Structure formats: C-alpha cells, structure tokens
Amino acid sequence: MDAGRLLSEVAAALSAGTIKVVDLTAPLGPDTPVIALPPAIGKNTPKVEVHSISHYDSDGPFWAWNWLKLGEHTGTHFDAPVHWITGKDLPDNTTDRIPPKNFVAPLNVIDCSREVAADPDFLLTAEGVRAWEAKHGAIEPGSWVFMRSDWYHRNGSAETFLNADANGPHSPGPSTDCIEYILSKGVIGWGSEGVGTDAGKGATLQPPFPAHNLMHKANRYGLASLCNLDQLPPKGAILFVAPLKFVNGTGSPVRALALVPSA
Ligand code: MN
C-alpha cells in the first residue's frame, strides 16, 4: 500500500464530498449543561463564563477577544486517564502527554436509541456488544466504541439532559461487563452522549462509575456529551479528536469530528 497515494485519494474524496466530515460536538457556552454532583460533595465544575477583553472599542479599537472561565470536563469533552484515581500513576496519562496517534482512530457506533427511548436508565451490556459484533463485525484493537442513544437531542436543557429526580440522575451508559469486554478487545476509548461517560446510575454499579474506573485504569480514554451519532455508520468512520494540550490536564473540551463515506 502506497500511503502517500492513499492520503491523496482521501484528500480528493474530501474535496469531492464522497467522504464527509460529521461534527460530533455540542455548542460550548454559558448554556452548556454541567454535571450536578450531590450537594454533600460541596464542589462542582462551574458553568462556562465568557468575559470580553475588547470589542472594537476603547479597550481595543481594531480587535475583539474574550477570556474564558471553564472546567476541563465541560461540554463535549475528553477524559484523560489521570481523571480517575485508578489512572493517576500511569505513564502519559495527562492531556499534554497522550501520544497523538491515539487522537485519530476507527470508530464503532452501537445504536441503543430504541432501548434508551423505552428506558432512560438503559445499560449497554457485554452481551449487547457481542450481538452488535455478530451483525457488524468485530471491534478492532485501537478503535473507539461509541454508545449511540440519541440523548444529545436533550443537550439544550440541563433539566432534560441530566434528567434527575429524588433518586438521582437517569441517563444511559455502559454496564461493568460492557467496559470489561471492550477493554478485552483492545479499544482505546469509550464515548457517550450523556453529560459524563457513565450512566446516571453509574455510582450504584460495581465498581462505581465503571467507564471511568476501568477505562482509565487501563490508560484508556473517554468522551462525553457527543452529538450527531445518528449520522454515523455502525462501522467505517474515522474519529479525529484531541484535548487541548493543557499541562497536567485531566480532560478538555474538544471539537470531535468523524470522516464518513457519503451516503
Ligand atoms: Mn469528564
């Protein structure tokens, strides 16, 4: 295979529109919903703030620019292994040290939208992943697995997105054996449409928050608040996603993009 020729063909296909770019990212701004931790914890990530420095005015006559206040884990964002205690001592576990080859990878998209429409607490299990593989092909080492739920349609409102009641938040995610199974296949990441990578009831699973606990323990990554997964094929897309190169960062808002064959 001539890699140079292959890249030229990809460039030609992008230009012709036979490969298209799908944006998997939610708008990032003051209205972006942020996770709501139990009040007993006492600390939470802030909402996004945008502060003007100048806007073609006496503070800067020819230019407009802002400064931002935002948490690392805000909006469509990347979880680095150091985010969880299980990944805190691993090599290359922060946003600035992750090998860049891991930012471009094949994508497996498991459609759970029907199940989630019937049950917002739906958990994707290892059995569900194996059934998907029987239909679409094996999950390959070095790939990402995304759980499509169509939950992103709720992303405009914190109330419907977090979907909490007196018993806590209700949103879909992976079971423990789902994460164990995809790790056994050698994946590098797990992505979901929820506010975080785990289900709303993730705290009640064993171990608590398995997507965080087990993925990061394996030096693997997470993506949360993904959008437009309904525009992706089950297999065949290529993901481009990179956190900002924050020094010692535990995560970062991202612009997540996928290359897909045009229908
Ligand atoms: Mn996060």
Side-chain angles (χ1 to χ4, degrees), residues 7 19 46 49 60 62 69-71 74 90 99 104-105 107 122 128 131 135 150 171 190 205 211 215 234 239 249:
L7 273 180
I19 294 176
E49 293 178 19
F62 306 136
K69 175 175 166 181
L70 78 173
T74 307
L90 298 174
V104 181
L107 199 45
F122 175 76
K135 200 166 164 192
D150 293 353
S171 57
W190 161 264
L205 303 179
M215 292 299 293
L239 174 70

Side-chain angles (χ1 to χ4, degrees), residues 94-110:
T94 55
T95 49
D96 55 324
R97 292 183 1 242
I98 292 170
K101 76 175 174 62
N102 290 342
F103 301 145
V104 181
L107 199 45
N108 301 281
V109 182
I110 302 182

Side-chain angles (χ1 to χ4, degrees), residues 28-75:
L28 183 64
D31 295 333
T32 296
V34 296
I35 198 163
L37 299 179
I41 292 177
K43 286 250 184 187
N44 204 359
T45 191
K47 299 207 74 162
V48 174
E49 293 178 19
V50 182
H51 300 271
S52 177
I53 304 171
S54 73
H55 205 82
Y56 328 115
D57 52 20
S58 59
D59 293 324
F62 306 136
W63 54 90
W65 53 349
N66 307 308
W67 66 272
L68 307 177
K69 175 175 166 181
L70 78 173
E72 293 171 320
H73 299 260
T74 307

Side-chain angles (χ1 to χ4, degrees), residues 74-164:
T74 307
T76 304
H77 74 272
F78 189 101
D79 287 355
V82 75
H83 178 43
W84 219 250
I85 190 167
T86 49
K88 74 182 178 65
D89 297 320
L90 298 174
D92 297 333
N93 61 352
T94 55
T95 49
D96 55 324
R97 292 183 1 242
I98 292 170
K101 76 175 174 62
N102 290 342
F103 301 145
V104 181
L107 199 45
N108 301 281
V109 182
I110 302 182
D111 182 4
C112 303
S113 57
R114 197 170 42 83
E115 294 89 338
V116 171
D119 174 14
D121 286 311
F122 175 76
L123 298 180
L124 175 62
T125 62
E127 187 186 351
V129 178
R130 282 191 290 263
W132 180 92
E133 285 184 298
K135 200 166 164 192
H136 300 289
I139 290 170
E140 60 275 61
S143 66
W144 281 76
V145 174
F146 283 1
M147 178 179 180
R148 175 186 159 194
S149 59
D150 293 353
W151 199 258
Y152 82 91
H153 291 295
R154 297 165 170 255
N155 198 330
S157 144
E159 193 181 340
T160 56
F161 191 52
L162 304 178
N163 198 35

